Amino acid sequence: MKTLTPSALSAQRTTIETSDHRPSLDAFCVPQFDAQSLPHALILEVFVPGVDAHGIDIAIRGTDLFITARKTHFVRPNWQALHLEAAQRDYALQLRLGSSLDVNQLHAELNDGILSITVPTLAINRPPARERTDLAA
């Protein structure tokens, strides 16, 4: 399991973008993903088989999250085109997160081809903690 902490994310080419430069989506396929909204965080699981931690690029621009996951491509010495191009395409995903999430506290982990991303909600948007009351009086 590879944990990508905020400092490791910086080392893994995570950027907060201000320009309009995005990779062409024609060369990519959209990965399967699962999103779970909890009161304290948004949890994303993005399925990117064949990708290692060095191939992941997470960029945030405003409320948009851009994930690019590049596979390691092996060129065989006796290579011939056998319609493998589609199976070897890299992954690109764009999601609009909204303004209630603290994208600066984003945490990502890569484990067996599953990229888990946790984005906590802003403290002002969290529901108050429930107080425990003893009913035995």
Side-chain angles (χ1 to χ4, degrees):
M1 172 171 57
K2 176 71 175 174
T3 301
L4 303 173
T5 60
S7 60
L9 284 172
S10 298
Q12 296 295 329
R13 298 177 308 209
T14 298
T15 57
I16 297 178
E17 293 185 358
T18 56
S19 66
D20 199 24
H21 175 23
R22 285 177 261 166
S24 171
L25 296 180
D26 296 335
F28 295 93
C29 62
V30 177
Q32 298 291 320
F33 69 95
D34 183 34
Q36 193 175 18
S37 180
L38 301 175
H40 65 282
L42 173 70
I43 299 174
L44 295 169
E45 289 187 344
V46 184
F47 303 100
V48 288
V51 175
D52 61 1
H54 298 297
I56 295 177
D57 182 16
I58 300 173
I60 299 165
R61 189 180 62 216
T63 59
D64 292 342
L65 175 69
F66 299 94
I67 301 169
T68 306
R70 298 180 189 277
K71 297 178 182 179
T72 303
H73 297 281
F74 298 102
V75 178
R76 295 174 182 90
N78 59 352
W79 181 82
Q80 292 181 350
L82 295 174
H83 302 289
L84 293 176
E85 293 82 7
Q88 294 178 349
R89 286 179 22 191
D90 297 323
Y91 302 102
L93 180 65
Q94 175 184 350
L95 297 173
R96 177 144 303 153
L97 297 178
S99 59
S100 65
L101 298 172
D102 189 2
V103 293
N104 294 323
Q105 298 298 318
L106 181 138
H107 176 76
E109 290 182 6
L110 181 65
N111 187 17
D112 293 331
I114 300 174
L115 177 63
S116 300
I117 300 174
T118 304
V119 186
T121 58
L122 291 170
I124 57 174
N125 293 324
R126 290 187 187 147
R130 294 184 182 176
E131 294 181 16
R132 183 175 178 199
T133 58
D134 291 330
L135 298 177

